[in-house]
Each structure stands twice: as C-alpha cells, then as structure tokens.
Amino acid sequence: MKTLISNAAIATVSGPEHTSGHVLIDGDRIAAVGEGDYRGEADRRVDASGGLVTPGLVNTHHHLYQWATRGMAADHTLFEWLVALYPVWGRLDAGITHAAGTAGLARLALTGCTTVADHHYVFPHGGGDQVEALVAARQRIGVRLHLVRGSMDRGESDGGLPPDHLVETTEAALLGTEAAIDRFHDPAPGAHLRIAAGPCSPFSVTERLMTGAAELGRRKGVRLHTHLAETLDEQQQCLAEVGCTPAEYADRLGWLAGDVWLAHTIHLSAGAVRRFGATGTGSAHCPTSNGRLGAGIAPVRDLLDAGAPVGLGVDGAASSESGGLGEELHQALLQARQRGGPKALTTREALWLGTMGGARCLGREDELGSVEVGKLADLAVWDLSGLNYAGIIDPVAALVLGATPPLARLFVGGRTVVEDGTLREADESVIAGELAAASARLRADR
C-alpha cells in the first residue's frame, strides 16, 4: 500500500523544509519526500492542505500507571508527593494498570506521539502481570513502546521512600527484568516493542541493583534508564550517603554511557554536563512535570552544546495531568528561555528535542525522528487551518508557540492511528470509562 500525503508544509528536522510538499509512504517506510507534487502512483491520497507534516513525536519518559491517580498530592514536593502516593500505587493490579496505560497511550497518540518510553517500577504483591498489562495497552492503541522494566529494592526500613511491602528483593528485581527482556524485547529493525532495564532511582534502589541492572542490560543488549538529579533533596541525600552528587554516583557505577538515558537531570554541575556530552549519555527533559513539582529547570542548552542527546518526556500523569506530548515542545522552549534568555532554544530546536533528540535517547535515530527516505513512516500531520493558527506564517512556530494543534493524521509505520482528531482503532469514550472505573476502584480501597 502506497499512501501519498500532499500539499503540506513539511518540517523534515534533518534537512530542508518544504512549504508545499509531499511525502510518499510505501508499506512501513518513507519512500519519497520533496517540494511540490509527486508524479508517481499511489494507492491512497491524503490532501494535507493547511497542514504541517513532522516526524512522529518521541516520548522518552513516562509512568503510564499514574493516569489512575491524576490530581492527587497537587501541592507537594517530589519526596512529599512520592510518600503520599506510594501507598495508593501499592494497590495497583493489572486491570488498573491496563486501563491507565491505555488511557495514557491514547492521550499521547492524540497529541502527536508515535513512540513511548514507559518506566514502570511498581510491582505490588498480588498485583498480577503488570508488564503484560502495558503490552496489551500498546496493542490497543498502536504506538511503539519502549517498556522500561523498573524496580525498587530499598524500602523505608533501609532508608528509602517506598513502603517495604512495595519493593522487591534485588534478586527478584533482576529476574523480573530478565524475564521481561526474554519475553517481549524485539531487537529487529522496525520493532514496535522493546524492553529496557530501569532501576527506579538512586534513592529507592541499592547499589547492588544499580550495578546488577547495568550488567544485565548490557549482557542482553538493551538500553538502561533511571531517574537522576531531579531535586535538591536527592542531591543532599546522595551527598550524605555516598559522598558525591547523583551524577558522580551514576558515573561511578557505570551509568554514564552511550546506552543510557536519564530522566530529568536538572541539578547538574558544569562538569557533569561535560561528562554527559563526552559519554553520549541521554537526558529525558520533562518540563511540565518539573514545573508541577517545583523541581527546577534542566540545563538543556548546556547539554545540547556539550553534544548530549536530549529528548522530551511527559513523565507520569500524576505530575503532568494533561499527559500530552505536543505541549511539551512549548513548555521546553519556555523553560529554556526562562533559564537562558530568548535565544536559549529556537522553535526548531524544540521540535528537534521532541523528535530526533528523543530518537537518539532511545538508540533509534537511524529509524525515527526525521522525515527521510528509508526511515519508518511514523508521521504527524497537524491541522493548522483553524482560528488558533490563522495568520502565523511559519508553521513550525504555529506548532511550538501556539496551542497543540489537532491531528489530521498520525501514522505509525504507515498505519493510521489517528484520523481527524479521533483514534482510528480504539474508542476514546470506552477508554475514558475504563479509566474512571479503575481510578475509582483504586481510591475506594484506601
């Protein structure tokens, strides 16, 4: 099946932009990109007049299960927020996680996201198959999923934040991670489902789990992910317990490397920024969540200048209640300029963060992140024809500076996932009802 998108502005991210161009999809790949009309044959045509084609957005950090607890602990710091919500998350079962995961992925798709990295680190005793619940949610919506099998082995009695009943033993965490990799990880080109190894954070896991997960991930050929340097509380705890900053601790344990991407990375020294760049360590920048929790503003400009991969993340919907990725382009630009002035991040750099930057973090820059011949046909067709965008000459400025536009189409591997602002193969009202019921059941058990 060949699908032709025509009459659209095209922001390729990797090369020249087109003011009124075409993109030809052949199967799951991009077969042609250019200005003007396409003169070859196509089986299906999409007239994108008044629209903008970009690569599908890449979400580098999320916690889908948190859609079941949105709006709670609304005025807390990160540590306060975690202490308040861990007991609630301890009552998750596979059904609740599936409903929350489906809703979260639906929202992401409706805001232009085609690839999602989800960090799932809560495995309540008796909670069923949490990994399978999220894999099934992906199948319902149709986006790509990089599922980070997270873990915690340091409970309150060992100085951690989670209740003891919510953590695993180190051995169970590593075995669970290995089982997820063996069962679900697809290393093939064009994969829709991959697994990564992801201890939750230095303050909720032991050093043994951090080093064991790194060894396991590298032996299995998967990427590594964790939270790092999100708050000053974390930095103070790290200094008190191990005598160095979180970034120095990660480096000591082999967690600054080209197969690693880290969430937040707000509180980094100049030396740490240089080290990120030298090692190729990625950063998942989560501007809305960072603002919601008052955690600070990540040094995105400095990381980019150092050569580090930087992508965007929505983070958990309980700390970013909107749950959309399109708006993170806008928030990333605003926060960068709040930190470094109006030239700290351009509109096209913001789009790069949400596309190619994210693809680099996930190790998929050869397949995703730009509109290029031979790459996967993961494409967003934004509708800029309405009142919100009238008179904005630059379509990329309209996307990044304006309200998140509706989608005329969202393609994942050439397959239509969203059409005219509506999920193609899933019913949004059904998903909303499932989420409401799951959230009510979770809260009723308090």
Side-chain angles (χ1 to χ4, degrees):
M1 174 72 73
K2 291 184 178 180
T3 300
L4 178 65
I5 306 167
S6 59
N7 303 317
I10 303 169
T12 63
V13 174
S14 60
E17 296 181 2
H18 305 291
T19 57
S20 181
H22 64 268
V23 180
L24 180 69
I25 300 170
D26 188 352
D28 69 344
R29 299 278 170 170
I30 298 170
V33 183
E35 186 69 34
D37 294 332
Y38 175 75
R39 304 198 178 277
E41 295 296 320
D43 302 297
R44 179 175 57 180
R45 295 176 180 268
V46 176
D47 183 355
S49 299
L52 168 68
V53 176
T54 71
L57 302 183
V58 179
N59 180 12
T60 58
H61 184 68
H62 209 93
H63 306 295
L64 288 167
Y65 75 89
Q66 291 182 11
W67 265 76
T69 54
R70 287 186 299 165
M72 299 180 68
D75 303 312
H76 290 46
T77 66
L78 173 65
F79 277 20
E80 293 169 343
W81 178 83
L82 288 170
V83 169
L85 289 176
Y86 273 137
V88 183
W89 297 335
R91 296 190 294 275
L92 285 172
D93 60 32
I96 294 171
T97 297
H98 176 75
T102 304
L105 291 173
R107 172 63 176 157
L108 287 164
L110 290 166
T111 58
C113 180
T114 53
T115 300
V116 180
D118 184 57
H119 190 189
H120 190 85
Y121 55 85
V122 176
F123 293 87
H125 300 296
D129 193 335
Q130 296 282 313
V131 173
E132 170 62 34
L134 292 165
V135 170
R138 187 215 71 79
Q139 292 170 336
R140 288 179 69 183
I141 303 304
V143 296
R144 300 184 197 277
L145 179 63
H146 282 235
L147 180 52
V148 183
R149 204 294 185 178
S151 51
M152 299 185 292
D153 68 344
R154 187 183 180 198
E156 288 177 309
S157 63
D158 291 324
L161 292 178
D164 287 348
H165 67 82
L166 195 53
V167 303
E168 302 174 282
T169 66
T170 307
E171 292 76 12
L174 292 173
L175 287 171
T177 303
E178 186 166 15
I181 296 168
D182 291 343
R183 184 179 176 192
F184 293 113
H185 181 64
D186 181 1
H192 281 76
L193 179 60
R194 288 187 177 170
I195 305 296
C200 180
S201 63
F203 56 84
S204 58
V205 305
T206 62
E207 182 174 317
R208 185 170 163 232
L209 181 53
M210 287 288 288
T211 55
E215 186 279 327
L216 171 64
R218 287 170 178 144
R219 175 164 54 84
K220 292 288 187 177
V222 303
R223 298 180 79 79
L224 308 177
H225 183 59
T226 191
H227 297 86
L228 194 83
E230 184 174 0
T231 68
L232 291 174
D233 289 338
E234 174 191 342
Q235 178 157 305
Q236 291 166 0
Q237 180 172 340
C238 200
L239 287 168
E241 292 180 348
V242 296
C244 61
T245 66
E248 291 167 339
Y249 183 58
D251 203 5
R252 180 193 301 175
L253 301 182
W255 274 78
L256 295 189
D259 59 354
V260 178
W261 86 103
L262 303 167
H264 301 292
T265 67
I266 297 169
H267 301 284
L268 298 179
S269 68
V273 169
R274 290 192 296 271
R275 185 68 178 147
F276 269 58
T279 58
T281 304
S283 169
H285 176 42
C286 305
T288 296
S289 175
N290 296 345
R292 155 63 147 95
L293 295 169
I297 301 175
V300 170
R301 178 76 268 158
D302 297 339
L303 286 164
L304 291 173
D305 290 344
V310 182
L312 295 181
V314 172
D315 203 7
S319 63
S320 179
E321 272 76 2
S322 171
L325 187 54
E327 61 208 51
E328 297 300 331
L329 306 176
H330 183 73
Q331 292 297 332
L333 181 140
L334 295 183
Q335 286 202 8
R337 293 184 178 189
Q338 289 280 20
R339 181 184 176 100
K343 298 187 184 302
L345 198 72
T346 69
T347 56
R348 280 158 178 78
E349 285 174 323
L351 178 59
W352 187 93
L353 293 177
T355 53
M356 184 58 79
R360 284 187 63 194
C361 285
L362 300 184
R364 301 195 70 171
E365 60 267 38
D366 291 340
E367 294 190 298
L368 304 172
S370 60
V371 185
E372 293 184 64
V373 172
K375 284 200 169 185
L376 289 166
D378 287 17
L379 301 167
V381 184
W382 307 93
D383 181 1
L384 302 179
S385 62
L387 174 65
N388 287 340
Y389 317 101
I392 302 179
I393 297 174
D394 179 356
V396 175
L399 171 65
V400 174
L401 297 177
T404 303
L407 285 169
R409 293 287 181 109
L410 186 73
F411 295 95
V412 179
R415 177 182 176 186
T416 301
V417 173
V418 176
E419 184 173 2
D420 295 330
T422 302
L423 296 169
R424 181 73 173 270
E425 297 184 4
D427 188 322
E428 188 175 342
S429 62
V430 170
I431 294 169
E434 292 172 352
L435 174 64
S439 182
R441 181 160 61 86
L442 185 65
R443 299 179 193 217
D445 291 337
R446 295 178 70 179

